[in-house]
Amino acid sequence: MLFSTRLPAVLAVLVTIFTVLANAYRPVQFVKHTGQSGRADQAFSLVNYYNTTTAQSDLYVRMWMFRYDSSNRGWAALGLGPQMKGALMFIIYGDPASNDLTMTVRTVDGHHPPRPLDEMKDFYSGDIPDVEVISTRFEPYTGDWYSEQLQAKPSHLGVAEFIVRGYEKFTAPALGIHSDSTKQSMIWSSNFKQDFEGDFSYERSIDMHQFGLGFGFLWVDLLNAKSEVPFFQTIDEVSDHSGLSEIGDPTAPSDEELKKGDAIIAAQLNPGTGDGAPDASGDKEASPPPTGSDSDTSTPGADDGSKVEEPVKTVKQWNIRSWMWHLHGLLLTLAFLLGYPSAIYLLRSPRTAAAGTAFNYHWTINALSSVSVSIGAIIGFLNSRSISIFHQYLGILIVCALAAQTVLGWRHHVVFVATGGRKTWMSAVHVWLGRAVLPLGMVNVILGLMLRRYGWLTISLCVALAVVEVVVLTLVVGQARNRRPGPMQKGGASAPPPADEAEEYFQLTGDDEDEDDDAFSDDEERAGASAEERAKKEGQREEQRKKLAKLDRV
Ligand SMILES: *[C@@H]1O[C@H](CO)[C@@H](O)[C@H](O)[C@H]1NC(C)=O
């Protein structure tokens, strides 16, 4: 009798041992910071534990969300299932100030905000796993992550540790949860904006996730995440995902991963590290094992020793998004440090002026630069997860100004040709906008380099180049002004071109496109053309028209 009542337990132990032998443990962790192909700052780890008493699989979930600036906005979510509909979702939100973090278990019958399970009985009335919340809290952030986008470290870490007992029991339509799956479908999503207005209750309605990369799919190897000891797996946030994939089936565990897993399990089994009970302290720094095993690099609570040696840059950053940022920077640097300045220089240089090609150079190079800016700006916009920092605002302002510049320059030119050289209000605006926009663009290029954390040498060189360019352009434009006939002519700086050359220069470009480029003269507006000059212009209007029309066709 006695034996027979114990038989199931004995068998279960044997099964467990067999399972453990057959399935070495590979830790499962998901780590996503904004900037790592996603608009999220969250992480989680999973341990798949088979409780022999209840004969069901339990999931030990540790969820993290990173908070900047003590923000109490937004939420982070994780769901078991291939899509929102029917997924078993875990959502966390709260306020670091009051150390008030809520974990709520939800589902939904479609693609709208999920609701607590008991509100969804019309949709799903089957078995519901027991979710035992071990700990929810905020901690001051002490990790190594630095957000390039926000130029800050997180201020807080929101932590939830909970056990989903019998998670396979949840069998909502279109769902499939299997503890033996090597590719369990899951979803994640994030929102940084929702203002909970102080209401962090379990049934609090939540706003939609971020648009664009604020949610995603993943496939988790639950089979190899089986552990014969129940515990909450440490999250090593400077490492990448482990035991899961965002693009398809996870790869089979590597020897290295299994070795790491072995060490973690060994640490869990070591009496010195605890009694096998869930590591509820959860504090990754505060629970070092007291025994000699604390040198064990994989002990929950301690960082992997090999990782500690490595710079934070081991975080995989060379993804497509990262390349896109560099392309964005390259295009805008070319435009603002090369294109626009040379367009202005060539317009004002005596040689091109004399050759009558100045205006052509001016508009061609400016057009190319603007194409480069447009592409760069679109890349920047698409690559951004939110518009929230000064560099972005300034960039948008510059793009708007450049669009206006193009229209103003073109309209000014059309009017100029039609009227034979009359300036309009557009000319003046074009000039002033040009004066403002180039230096602002240069500043924003430098800000971008700083955001991307380029070395000080690169940044210093760019600053130096920008300064030199501004100085040279100011001088060149100043000299061009000095070449003008009339009382403003000053002796000296450069040999004034022959009179007819100068005439041509000023007729073609001096009165037309100089508008942009006075940008760099210290400029009093050429005090309204004298009557004499005006008369001269009248006289040459026909000639001008012909010339400009010719240029127009180029
Ligand atoms: C396994 O399930 C039993 C029955 O619910 C429970 O008392 C026990 O604590 C569980 N074991 C673990 C390690 O959670």
Side-chain angles (χ1 to χ4, degrees), residues 75 77-91 104-125 128 170-175 187 189 205-209:
W75 49 259
L78 165 68
L80 279 160
Q83 67 206 1
M84 280 185 72
K85 182 179 176 180
L88 182 60
M89 287 181 254
F90 309 98
I91 305 169
T104 170
V105 186
R106 300 191 179 187
T107 191
V108 72
D109 55 4
H111 195 204
H112 28 259
R115 295 300 303 158
L117 295 182
D118 51 7
E119 285 181 31
M120 296 302 299
K121 290 233 154 66
D122 284 348
F123 169 67
Y124 176 73
S125 55
I128 287 178
F170 195 76
T171 54
L175 183 70
I187 50 178
S189 63
S205 54
I206 63 164
D207 293 346
M208 200 180 155
H209 49 72

Side-chain angles (χ1 to χ4, degrees), residues 49 51 53-54 58 60 165 230:
Y49 172 73
N51 185 327
T53 312
T54 55
D58 303 339
Y60 284 68
R165 297 197 186 276

